[in-house]
Structures are given as structure tokens and as C-alpha cells.
């Protein structure tokens, strides 16, 4: 970190990586970001993790896309075969005019020949709220259907489904900072020290102050060092574990009768359902002894104020919605919602996955989670848009769209800032599907693995090059500002989408993101009292009750946005993971992120510091497992599932169970998602990334 004299200008913005939403000050010299400091945002109070502090230089990497590209007529067959440093064997440079005409004209031709449903779109949780709003608007207004989605489908769609179903809102009920007011906190299926590192600092402080922290996870995640109880349960046993905790609360009458009576419905059904889940009976499934279950139940139910935090270990299962239903029921039966230090908090992944979901970048909801099936709601939007009605059918989700591409029913895709060739389950299937498209328009800052399959590539802007707003896991809306100009001819995403819409004849006239934000406010009550001008000088948490209210850190203190103001108990049965380990695939694979690398690695692997710290694809196995396999730490293993195989360097990790392997999904040379299971949760439609049956062998033995 330099001193105050070693930069030309400084700009305040928001970290582009995780959902914590740390505010940063970008120090710029000679047109480049030289270093980054944390500033006093409500979510970070000056703190940054290694990604926020050192992971900024990807924006100046020489792989940045600086001109529009069009696939060459004599290009080799589509595949994962483009060298990012030598694109020209596959693509040729084009003018914006030519590229936009090929993109918009190509989409229009496909829609004319096959109907609007021949086109589908993946927007981005990496873009701003305004850009997410425009993306969903383009698909709905331009092609008259709802086949538009984004990576929320791969992270917390099941949590959102359960929250909307049972408390009436898909966002957190309390900010993570509320842990300051709690005396008990549960973290389950999350690894905040690596994935939400600045939020984790608040959790550690809580534990050091004497707060009781209960950590539940099949992996021995780092937070266990701060925990009163660490419940390392069997993978996929979330419902058995949580129902057994709730069984004890019912059996010992530890629940909050008055709260249940006043604010909830379906309690009798939940109570009856739980009778069958004694800790003694569930131990065989969860692997947790009954006495620990009873301790944890008494601690949580006896708390003055308690929070539950969860991550993708909960959501990424075929029973992900059931897992969240259990967490919601646990909080409701103990009255642990709607007070300072009490609530439900799914830790959102991407920097703007909350905002992109709020802005309607999902197939079943318009902005503010207003259903597409309601005629009046669609009318409200088309009235503002000045356009005809569009389909009242819920659209297809990410994996459903890929399946329809593979089947030949979707022939064109517009993909903005997402990398499904790396992030989708059974990635080879997704890649094979993309190779079949007649037209793939990719808008991104790098030649991602997905862009390898593109016909037209539109060079876009990184977050530190654009204006707009983003919303973090805390429901806090914050402004991003351009510190530097986009490289070459690259443009801001909202401007590219606007021009595409103009060329599709949609009559858009936006000249600045503030105009888009103003339009969003017309049909998004969540933005009441939040104005562009306010956001220039402050962070506002939604809901904000007045033009001077900084927003409500805790919601639902006096009822829920559901019929009769009551939250609902939805009982959940134990459902086995989609595929069981067997003689051919005897172990369990789980996937996730590492501290230094963000998602599919397109940004962080192009950051010098982060890549130097973590340069090589790796997986984690218990030392005893390595010994059994005859593998030394640092040697290569071969992982095989029913979908494919990869070879990857093995690390020893005592915290992982002996029959498990953890594989980060950031590395294209050993892509975890070649192995993952595409089976989905029936409600949230989220794939089961957290459980695949796998065979592990020493690579040299093959
Ligand atoms: Fe960025 Fe998240 Fe790290 Fe904060 S915690 S600096 S938002 S990656």
C-alpha cells in the first residue's frame, strides 16, 4: 500500500467479488488502478480480504477484450479450443456496427424463423442492478417469454424458493452485522472464512466476545476453531440433522408458543411431522450423537437472540429447498426472527446476485419477485415499457435452457458475463449444447470458456469501469463508480444491451444508468425512498421507510408479507442424495470455492497476487485416504464420476471426512463441473453440486 502521494486520483466503489459488498477506494495512477484500500462501508468498516485488496489487476490484463469479435468463416469446429492469447485463428476483429448487426440481426432472424422462444438469455450477477434489469427486459419485451436466468440458479435459488414460500420474501431478514446483537449464531453449509471473509471477521469477533457459535458442515470448515459446537454431519443429511434438533425442541417444549400462535401457520402439522425424527433415530443418517443434538437444541432455543447463516452447502442439493425450509421452521418455532440479533441469513455469493435477482433476472419473477403469471403485474410492466404483453408462463431455468439448447429447440443465446461452460453441472453436456447453437452472442471482459463457443463477442466493462448500483447480501444498495475507462473499444454492459434493444426495434432511449434506476423504481416497492442522489453519498438498506431512513437492518418484527401476515411451517422429509456411492464410485465429491479464486477463475486467475498464491488446480483429501491410495500430498489423482474424469493435484486436509473429496471449481484444466451431477431440486431447480459419487485413484496408476 502506497502513501497519499503516489496516485493521481481516487474513486469509491464496491468490491467486485463476493456478496459482502465491501466499499473500496481505488487509487489510480497513469490511467491504471494502482492499489485498493477498504473504506468505511456498513458491511466492511474499512476491512478487505485478500481478493478485495489484491485482486483488482485483472482489469488491466492483456487478455482483456478490446474490440468486438466475429467467428471466422474458416474457424475450426466450436470447442474449448481457443487460446486466449491467440484468438485470431477462430475470430476476426469487427466494428461495433458489424458485430451489433450480426448479433441483433441474427437474433431477429431466428425469432422470425422459429418464434421468440428460439432465443434465451443468461444475464449476470457480476453486472449492476440496472444492467440486470435491462437484460431481463430485453428478453421479455423483445422475445415475449421468460426464458432468462442467471447464476442464482446455481447458488441460492432453493433458499429463495423456501424463503418466498414461508416468510414471503427472498432476501435476508437480518443483516450479518446483527450478529453484534446476538448471543447465539448457527452457521451451516457455509465456509465464510474463505467465501465471505469480511463477514467472517464479525463472526469471529462474536465468538471471541463470548457468543455461542454452532458450526454445522460436512467439511471441517475453518470457522470450527471459533465454535462452541462443531457438528460435522454426513453429506446430504441436513434434513435429518435439523429435524432432530427441532424434535428435541418440541419434545422438551422449548418452543415459543406465543410467537407461533401470533405469527405463524401450519404449526400442528410441523409438530406432528417432527415426532418421527428423534436424535437417536436420526444418528444413523446424520452421524451426530443425540447428546450433541440435545445440547444444540437447548442452546438455540434458549437464546435471547439467535441468527442462522447458511450457504451453498445447504442450497446445492436436490433437497436444497427442504434444507432451507427446516432452517426457517427452526427459527420460527423459537421466535428468532424480526428482532435485533435474530433472523435468517443466506449468505449470498456473487457481489450482485441479490440485486440481479431483485431486478427480475429470473424466469418466474419480474422485478421485486412479482410473479409473471399475474396479468395485472405484467400489465404494470408493459405499461411502463410501452410494449405488448408477454408470456404468462414461468420461464426455463439455467439447466433447463441448456437442455433445450442441446435438444435443438433453443437456437440462439445472449450470454452476458456468465460462464456456464465452466459453472454448469455436467459441463461437457453444456459445452456440447453450446456447440450446437446457430447464434451465440457473448458479452464479457475476457474470452471465457463459454466465449470459446461464441459467434459474436461484445467487449464489456469490469465493475471498476462502470456506473450503477449493486445490492449485497445485507439488502444494502450501494453505488459503483468508474475509476478507469474501459480498455480499447469496450463498453459498459447497459449501453451494449440498450443498443441491441434499439436494433431489435424496442425503442429504448437510455443515456445513463440513473435513467434505468428511475424506471426500476416505478415497479419496485423495495426501492421506495431510495434515490440515485441518496446513493451518491450513502448506502441504503431496503426497505427504507422514509427519505432519511438508512433502511431496516431487521425486518418482519410485526408479521410477514404473506396471507394474514403469518409465516408458514413447511415440514420436510428426508430425501437421499440423487446418486449413492457404490462399488464403482465409492466416495463423495463436493465442490466449492477457495479464498483466492473466485468462481470460474476468469478474473482471479488473471490477478498476479492471487494466482501466485494459488496457481494450480487442487483437491483436498484426508491424509488417511491419501495413504490408502498410495498418494503423497502434491501428487496427482484421477477423479471419475458417471459424467467424466479429471486429473488434479491432491492436498492433505485432516478436516475432510475420509470418504470425501473437495474440489474447487475455478480451474479449467481440471474442471470440477465435468464431474458434477445435473440432478436438480424440484422447487428451486438448483443442481446437486454438493454430492456426487466419485472414484479417486492415483493418477499415475491409470
Ligand atoms: Fe470483496 Fe467479499 Fe473480500 Fe469484501 S469479503 S473484499 S466483498 S471478496
Amino acid at each position: 500500500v502506497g502513501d497519499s502521494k503516489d496516485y493521481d486520483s481516487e474513486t469509491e466503489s464496491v468490491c467486485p467479488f463476493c456478496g459482502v459488498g465491501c466499499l473500496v477506494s481505488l487509487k489510480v495512477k497513469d490511467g491504471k488502478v494502482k492499489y485498493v484500500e477498504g473504506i468505511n462501508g456498513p458491511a466492511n468498516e474499512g476491512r478487505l480480504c485478500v481478493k478485495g485488496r489484491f485482486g483488482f489487476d485483472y482489469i488491466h490484463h492483456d487478455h482483456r477484450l478490446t474490440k468486438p469479435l466475429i467467428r471466422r468463416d474458416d474457424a475450426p469446429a466450436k470447442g474449448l479450443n481457443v487460446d486466449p492469447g491467440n484468438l485470431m485463428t477462430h475470430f476476426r476483429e469487427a466494428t461495433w456496427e458489424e458485430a451489433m448487426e450480426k448479433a441483433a440481426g441474427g437474433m431477429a432472424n431466428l425469432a422470425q424463423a422459429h418464434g421468440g422462444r428460439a432465443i434465451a438469455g443468461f444475464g449476470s450477477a457480476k453486472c449492476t442492478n440496472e444492467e440486470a434489469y435491462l437484460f431481463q427486459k430485453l428478453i421479455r419485451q423483445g422475445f415475449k417469454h421468460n426464458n432468462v436466468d442467471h447464476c442464482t440458479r446455481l447458488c441460492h435459488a432453493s433458499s429463495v424458493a423456501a424463503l418466498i414460500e414461508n416468510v414471503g420474501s427472498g432476501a435476508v431478514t437480518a443483516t450479518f452485522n446483527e450478529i453484534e446483537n446476538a448471543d447465539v449464531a448457527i452457521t451451516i453449509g457455509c465456509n465464510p472464512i474463505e467465501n465471505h471473509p469480511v463477514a467472517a471477521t464479525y463472526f469471529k469477533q462474536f465468538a471471541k466476545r463470548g457468543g455461542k457459535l454452532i458450526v454445522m458442515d460436512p467439511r471441517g470448515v475453518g470457522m470450527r476453531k471459533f465454535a462452541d459446537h462443531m457438528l460435522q454431519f454426513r453429506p446430504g443429511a441436513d434434513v435429518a440433522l435439523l429435524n432432530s434438533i427441532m424434535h428435541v425442541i418440541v419434545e422438551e417444549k422449548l418452543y415459543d408458543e406465543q410467537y407461533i400462535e401470533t405469527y405463524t401457520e401450519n404449526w400442528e402439522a410441523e409438530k406432528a411431522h417432527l415426532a418421527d425424527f428423534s436424535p437417536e433415530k436420526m444418528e444413523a443418517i446424520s452421524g451426530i450423537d443425540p447428546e450433541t443434538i440435545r445440547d444444540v437444541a437447548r442452546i438455540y432455543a434458549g437464546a435471547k437472540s439467535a441468527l442462522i447463516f447458511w450457504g451453498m452447502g445447504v442450497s446445492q442439493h436436490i433437497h436444497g429447498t427442504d434444507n432451507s425450509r427446516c432452517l426457517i421452521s427452526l427459527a420460527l418455532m423459537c421466535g428468532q426472527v424480526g428482532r435485533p440479533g435474530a433472523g435468517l441469513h443466506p449468505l449470498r455469493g456473487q457481489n450482485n446476485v441479490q440485486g440481479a435477482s431483485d431486478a427480475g433476472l429470473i424466469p418466474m419473477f419480474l422485478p421485486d419477485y412479482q410473479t409473471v403469471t399475474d396479468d395485472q403485474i405484467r400489465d404494470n410492466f408493459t405499461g411502463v415499457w410501452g410494449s405488448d404483453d408477454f408470456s404468462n408462463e414461468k420461464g426455463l431455468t439455467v439447466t433447463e435452457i441448456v437442455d433445450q439448447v442441446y435438444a435443438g429447440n433453443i437456437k440462439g443465446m445472449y450470454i452476458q458475463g456468465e460462464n456456464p461452460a465452466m459453472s454448469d453441472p455436467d459441463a461437457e453436456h453444456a459445452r456440447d449444447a453450446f456447440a450446437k447453437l446457430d447464434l451465440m452472442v457473448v458479452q464479457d471482459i475476457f474470452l471465457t470458456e463459454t466465449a470459446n463457443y461464441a459467434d459474436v463477442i461484445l467487449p464489456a466493462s469490469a465493475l471498476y469501469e462502470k456506473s450503477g448500483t449493486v445490492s449485497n447480501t445485507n439488502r444494502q444498495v450501494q453505488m459503483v463508480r468508474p475509476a478507469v475507462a474501459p480498455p480499447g473499444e469496450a463498453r459498459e454492459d447497459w449501453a451494449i444491451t440498450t443498443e441491441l434493444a434499439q436494433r431489435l426495434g424496442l425503442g429504448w432511449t437510455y443515456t445513463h444508468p440513473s435513467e434505468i434506476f428511475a424506471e426500476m423504481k416505478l415497479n419496485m416497492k423495495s426501492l421506495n425512498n431510495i434515490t440515485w442522489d441518496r446513493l451518491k453519498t450513502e448506502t441504503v438498506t431496503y426497505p427504507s421507510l422514509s427519505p432519511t431512513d438508512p433502511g431496516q437492518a431487521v425486518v418482519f418484527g410485526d408479521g410477514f408479507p404473506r396471507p394474514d401476515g403469518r409465516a408458514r411451517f413447511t415440514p420436510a422429509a428426508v430425501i437421499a442424495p440423487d446418486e449413492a456411492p457404490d462399488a464403482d464410485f465409492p466416495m463423495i465429491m463436493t465442490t466449492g470455492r477457495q479464498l483466492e479464486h473466485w468462481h470460474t477463475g476468469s478474473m482471479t486467475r488473471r490477478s498476479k497476487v492471487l494466482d501466485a498464491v494459488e496457481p494450480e488446480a487442487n483437491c483436498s483429501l484426508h491424509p488417511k485416504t491419501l495413504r490408502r491410495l498410495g498418494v503423497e500430498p502434491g501428487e496427482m489423482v484421477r477423479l471419475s464420476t458417471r459424467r467424466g474424469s479429471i486429473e488434479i493435484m491432491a492436498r492433505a486436509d485432516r478436516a475432510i471426512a475420509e470418504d470425501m473429496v473437495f474440489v474447487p471449481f475455478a480451474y479449467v484444466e481440471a474442471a470440477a463441473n465435468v464431474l458434477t451431477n445435473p440432478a436438480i431440486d424440484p422447487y428451486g431447480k438448483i443442481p446437486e453440486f454438493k454430492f456426487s459419487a466419485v472414484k479417486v485413484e492415483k493418477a499415475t496408476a491409470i
Side-chain angles (χ1 to χ4, degrees):
V1 175
D3 60 37
S4 61
K5 298 183 189 129
D6 62 358
Y7 55 86
D8 303 328
S9 63
E10 56 186 323
T11 302
E12 290 185 9
S13 194
V14 184
C15 174
F17 294 108
C18 89
V20 171
C22 296
L23 289 192
V24 295
S25 172
L26 304 160
K27 314 295 185 188
V28 176
K29 188 165 178 65
D30 300 329
K32 291 193 168 183
V33 177
K34 190 170 181 194
Y35 60 95
V36 176
E37 290 180 340
I39 55 177
N40 193 24
N44 66 314
E45 298 177 287
R47 305 165 211 192
L48 292 179
C49 78
V50 66
K51 287 191 290 292
R53 191 170 297 284
F54 298 112
F56 60 88
D57 55 333
Y58 71 90
I59 67 172
H60 302 308
H61 196 281
D62 61 10
H63 285 172
R64 279 296 298 273
L65 298 168
T66 57
K67 290 190 172 177
L69 299 170
I70 290 178
R71 180 168 290 278
R72 297 173 67 102
D73 292 338
D74 60 351
K78 286 184 181 177
L80 204 61
N81 51 0
V82 188
D83 171 5
N86 182 20
L87 311 176
M88 294 308 153
T89 51
H90 294 252
F91 299 99
R92 63 177 174 80
E93 289 181 355
T95 62
W96 271 103
E97 173 62 32
E98 187 188 7
M100 291 301 257
E101 196 40 49
K102 188 161 174 67
M107 288 187 209
N109 288 342
L110 284 175
Q112 195 168 20
H114 306 284
R117 288 176 188 275
I119 309 289
F122 291 163
S124 178
K126 276 269 159 280
C127 289
T128 64
N129 291 328
E130 295 73 31
E131 289 166 341
Y133 174 85
L134 286 194
F135 195 94
Q136 60 85 33
K137 178 177 172 179
L138 182 129
I139 297 294
R140 289 178 164 129
Q141 186 185 7
F143 301 107
K144 307 292 181 212
H145 60 73
N146 297 294
N147 296 340
V148 58
D149 206 356
H150 77 296
C151 70
T152 191
R153 195 66 42 209
L154 308 178
C155 61
H156 265 304
S158 51
S159 310
V160 172
L163 285 164
I164 289 176
E165 173 189 55
N166 296 295
V167 300
S169 161
V172 300
T173 73
T175 65
F176 66 72
N177 311 75
E178 279 298 314
I179 200 166
E180 291 176 1
N181 298 316
D183 56 338
V184 172
I186 291 174
T187 67
I188 176 167
C190 58
N191 186 8
I193 287 180
E194 300 213 26
N195 297 330
H196 301 84
V198 168
T201 64
Y202 291 87
F203 301 175
K204 292 179 207 168
Q205 286 174 338
F206 161 80
K208 284 181 178 171
R209 278 199 312 273
K212 284 196 187 310
L213 181 65
I214 298 160
V215 176
M216 306 179 187
D217 200 284
R219 285 173 71 205
V221 291
M223 200 54 82
R224 73 186 184 282
K225 294 174 193 145
F226 301 86
D228 259 61
H229 283 284
M230 169 75 208
L231 279 59
Q232 194 163 352
F233 60 94
R234 300 287 306 141
D238 313 59
V239 169
L241 173 80
L242 295 166
N243 277 356
S244 66
I245 292 170
M246 290 192 281
H247 172 97
V248 173
I249 291 171
V250 172
E251 184 185 59
E252 300 188 7
K253 292 193 167 41
L254 304 174
Y255 49 84
D256 185 336
E257 210 157 354
Q258 193 179 0
Y259 186 89
I260 292 167
E261 174 69 24
T262 311
Y263 291 119
T264 72
E265 64 181 35
N266 211 31
W267 167 240
E268 291 304 325
E270 177 76 34
K271 199 160 70 163
H273 175 76
L274 291 171
D276 208 26
F277 291 87
S278 72
E280 290 73 17
K281 190 170 168 188
M282 289 300 105
E283 183 180 8
I285 301 173
S286 71
I288 304 297
D289 67 276
E291 215 32 60
T292 300
I293 295 288
R294 290 183 193 283
D295 266 3
V296 166
R298 290 166 193 150
I299 290 169
Y300 181 79
K304 178 176 64 65
S305 296
L307 281 155
I308 302 175
F309 299 98
W310 71 97
M312 292 169 221
V314 164
S315 61
Q316 290 175 334
H317 286 283
I318 58 162
H319 48 85
T321 305
D322 280 336
N323 293 347
S324 292
R325 285 170 173 155
C326 289
L327 294 171
I328 294 164
S329 293
L330 176 60
L332 291 176
M333 69 168 59
C334 297
Q336 293 293 5
V337 182
R339 289 179 287 106
L344 294 157
H345 191 122
L347 286 155
R348 305 306 304 259
Q350 296 263 17
N351 64 323
N352 198 36
V353 70
Q354 183 67 58
S357 302
D358 297 344
L361 200 53
I362 30 185
M364 51 292 284
F365 295 120
L366 283 147
D368 262 0
Y369 307 94
Q370 300 178 77
T371 178
V372 297
T373 60
D374 186 298
D375 294 347
Q376 181 60 55
I377 289 171
R378 287 195 319 286
D379 205 36
N380 294 343
F381 281 90
T382 52
V384 168
W385 298 347
S387 61
D388 300 336
D389 197 7
F390 54 91
S391 173
N392 63 358
E393 281 174 38
K394 294 176 181 176
L396 300 172
T397 60
V398 165
T399 56
E400 290 170 339
I401 286 172
V402 170
D403 286 344
Q404 288 304 308
V405 171
Y406 192 85
N409 298 324
I410 292 175
K411 299 176 184 304
M413 284 207 68
Y414 176 26
I415 300 181
Q416 176 193 61
E418 294 238 327
N419 194 8
M422 279 287 285
S423 60
D424 267 27
D426 192 5
E428 292 291 7
H429 169 71
R431 294 168 188 175
D432 289 347
F434 296 143
K436 295 182 174 196
L437 283 166
D438 292 344
L439 175 70
M440 187 190 221
V441 178
V442 172
Q443 181 174 317
D444 214 312
I445 62 173
F446 292 117
L447 186 105
T448 60
E449 288 72 23
T450 302
N452 275 239
Y453 295 83
D455 298 286
V456 183
I457 300 176
L458 306 173
S461 296
L463 201 70
Y464 289 160
E465 299 160 354
K466 61 172 63 167
S467 301
T469 65
V470 289
S471 304
N472 69 2
T473 188
N474 278 346
R475 298 182 264 105
Q476 287 159 336
V477 187
Q478 310 192 100
M479 187 162 275
V480 298
R481 301 172 182 82
V484 292
E489 297 177 22
R491 295 181 182 175
E492 291 188 45
D493 292 81
W494 68 266
I496 300 171
T497 308
T498 295
E499 187 174 337
L500 273 176
Q502 288 167 345
R503 286 173 184 261
L504 287 166
L506 304 184
W508 295 8
T509 58
Y510 311 108
T511 59
H512 189 269
S514 58
E515 297 162 14
I516 306 163
F517 185 81
E519 180 178 310
M520 292 166 71
K521 281 172 63 64
L522 298 175
N523 272 312
M524 290 181 72
K525 285 190 183 140
S526 65
L527 297 178
N528 283 356
N529 297 309
I530 306 178
T531 64
W532 190 266
D533 276 346
R534 272 190 87 180
L535 294 173
K536 284 180 183 170
T537 55
E538 63 177 315
T539 293
V540 186
T541 306
Y542 73 80
S544 166
L545 304 183
S546 76
T548 54
D549 174 22
Q552 302 296 300
V554 176
V555 292
F556 310 148
D558 193 21
F560 295 85
R562 291 193 75 256
D564 300 327
R566 289 174 181 273
R568 177 182 169 79
F569 289 99
T570 299
V574 171
I575 297 170
D578 181 68
E579 59 178 20
D582 58 17
D584 293 332
F585 303 99
M587 291 179 59
I588 299 163
M589 184 186 81
T590 185
T591 66
R593 296 179 302 230
Q594 288 175 298
L595 173 62
E596 293 80 7
H597 284 307
W598 185 252
H599 282 214
T600 64
S602 61
M603 294 151 66
T604 51
R605 295 198 80 193
R606 291 181 171 95
S607 165
K608 280 200 191 83
V609 170
L610 300 177
D611 194 49
V613 176
E614 199 61 274
E616 191 178 349
N618 58 84
C619 66
S620 301
L621 289 149
H622 194 281
K624 284 187 186 167
T625 312
L626 288 176
R627 272 201 293 283
R628 180 173 56 76
L629 296 168
V631 174
E632 292 289 327
E635 290 186 336
M636 301 293 282
V637 289
R638 184 177 180 83
L639 310 181
S640 305
T641 67
R642 293 181 174 88
R643 272 71 56 191
S645 296
I646 62 171
E647 293 194 0
I648 189 166
M649 185 255 286
R651 279 187 180 154
D653 182 355
R654 288 187 186 285
I656 197 158
E658 289 176 38
D659 61 349
M660 283 183 74
V661 54
F662 169 73
V663 191
F665 66 99
Y667 301 95
V668 63
E669 65 274 30
N673 281 322
V674 166
L675 307 178
T676 46
N677 186 353
I680 57 174
D681 172 277
Y683 306 97
K685 307 276 183 88
I686 193 167
E688 190 153 61
F689 289 113
K690 289 291 187 274
F691 198 113
S692 300
V694 65
K695 176 166 68 175
V696 184
E697 307 160 276
K698 184 168 179 166
T700 51
I702 305 301

